[in-house]
Amino acid sequence: MRLVIARCSVDYAGRLTAHLPSAPRLILVKADGSVSIHADDRAYKPLNWMSPPCTLKEGAGEEEGVWTVVNKAGEKLIITMEEILHDSSHELGVDPGLIKDGVEAHLQELLADRIETLGEGYTLIRREYMTAIGPVDILCRDADGQTVAVEIKRRGEIDGVEQLTRYLELLNRDPHLAPVRGIFAAQEIKPQARVLATDRGIGCQILDYDALRGIEDDKLRLF
C-alpha cells in the first residue's frame, strides 16, 4: 500500500464530472490497483475513488505532478499535485479476512445447512470458499446452475457490499466458476447498502436468525 499526503486538486471524468479544489488530502494506492482520495472529516468514506482494475500513470516533464488513473470503462481520475507532504509504501501481505462474531458464524452455518432459504433449487458448493483475498462465506449454485457468492453480515452496510464486490471481481476471473453473481445476506440491510448492491447487480436477502434456528430445531426434533 502506498500512502501519499499532498496538497492537490482532483478531477473525475466519466459518467459525470466532479471537481475537488485544492486542499491537503490522503491518497491511498492499494496493491489491487484501487486509488482513493480521503479527507480528514468523514471516517472511512473517500471523497473520490477508482475501483480495480485500473492503471495509474504519473506524469513526467510538463505533466510532472499529474496522476492519471483510468479504469477499464475509460473513466479518468486526474490528481494534480501541488505539494507532496508525505510519500511512503508498505507491504501488508495477504489479509486473513474478517473474523466473524458468534452470530455471523452461526448464521453462516444455519444458511449453509438450509441453503434453500435463498431460493428453490439452490445447492451448496462449500462454506468459507478461499480466495486470494479471503474466504467467501458461502459459494453455491442456483436452480439454473449459476454460481452464487453469498456474503453474510449481522448488519449489512456499505463496506460489506464493497467486500462482496471484490470477491465477485476475483471469482469471475475463474472460468470454472464464471459467471458468478452475488447475494448480500444480513439480519438488517441499511438503505445505502441496498442501493449500492442494487446498482452493482447484487441481490439482497434478509435473514431471520430466530426463524433459521427454529427451522434447525424442528429438523432435529424429527429424529
Side-chain angles (χ1 to χ4, degrees):
M1 177 183 290
R2 184 178 177 185
L3 307 176
V4 178
I5 299 175
R7 179 173 291 278
C8 62
S9 60
V10 183
D11 291 279
Y12 167 80
R15 290 169 291 179
L16 46 81
T17 59
H19 174 71
L20 294 173
S22 175
R25 298 188 176 94
L26 168 65
I27 303 165
L28 298 182
V29 183
K30 294 187 178 180
D32 63 3
S34 63
V35 178
S36 57
I37 295 95
H38 298 259
D40 201 19
D41 64 348
R42 50 176 59 203
Y44 63 88
K45 186 175 180 181
L47 295 164
N48 214 326
W49 69 93
M50 194 70 80
S51 300
C54 57
T55 58
L56 167 61
K57 179 181 178 181
E58 297 185 41
E62 293 184 359
E63 295 295 318
E64 185 176 2
V66 177
W67 290 13
T68 303
V69 187
V70 183
N71 66 11
K72 62 181 180 180
E75 298 169 314
K76 293 183 179 181
L77 197 63
I78 301 170
I79 307 169
T80 303
M81 306 288 189
E82 298 174 13
E83 180 184 8
I84 294 180
L85 306 172
H86 174 86
D87 189 348
S88 64
S89 296
H90 307 270
E91 180 60 52
L92 302 184
V94 177
D95 191 269
L98 179 68
I99 298 175
K100 296 182 177 294
D101 65 21
V103 172
E104 288 185 8
H106 200 200
L107 278 171
Q108 181 191 116
E109 179 183 348
L110 290 170
L111 186 58
D113 190 49
R114 293 291 186 179
I115 198 66
E116 66 273 12
T117 300
L118 298 176
E120 186 177 352
Y122 273 71
T123 56
L124 178 69
I125 297 176
R126 66 167 298 166
R127 291 171 53 195
E128 298 288 333
Y129 184 88
M130 187 56 65
T131 74
I133 58 174
V136 177
D137 288 337
I138 290 178
L139 198 67
C140 58
R141 296 192 189 279
D142 63 17
D144 297 322
Q146 183 178 359
T147 309
V148 182
V150 184
E151 178 64 25
I152 298 171
K153 299 292 184 187
R154 188 169 52 160
R155 177 180 298 171
E157 300 188 22
I158 284 177
D159 57 348
V161 178
E162 295 284 6
Q163 183 180 358
L164 179 54
T165 299
R166 292 192 294 272
Y167 288 143
L168 290 172
E169 289 175 348
L170 192 62
L171 292 170
N172 272 300
R173 299 177 194 170
D174 186 339
H176 299 292
L177 297 176
V180 185
R181 64 182 179 88
I183 294 178
F184 189 48
Q187 290 179 279
E188 173 192 2
I189 298 178
K190 295 295 185 180
Q192 299 92 333
R194 186 179 292 275
V195 169
L196 182 61
T198 301
D199 182 67
R200 296 184 176 179
I202 294 171
C204 293
Q205 177 84 29
I206 296 295
L207 298 177
D208 187 327
Y209 186 40
D210 291 334
L212 282 172
R213 286 190 299 170
I215 290 172
E216 183 187 52
D217 291 341
D218 289 341
K219 188 181 76 169
L220 291 174
R221 283 196 294 270
L222 290 175
F223 295 90

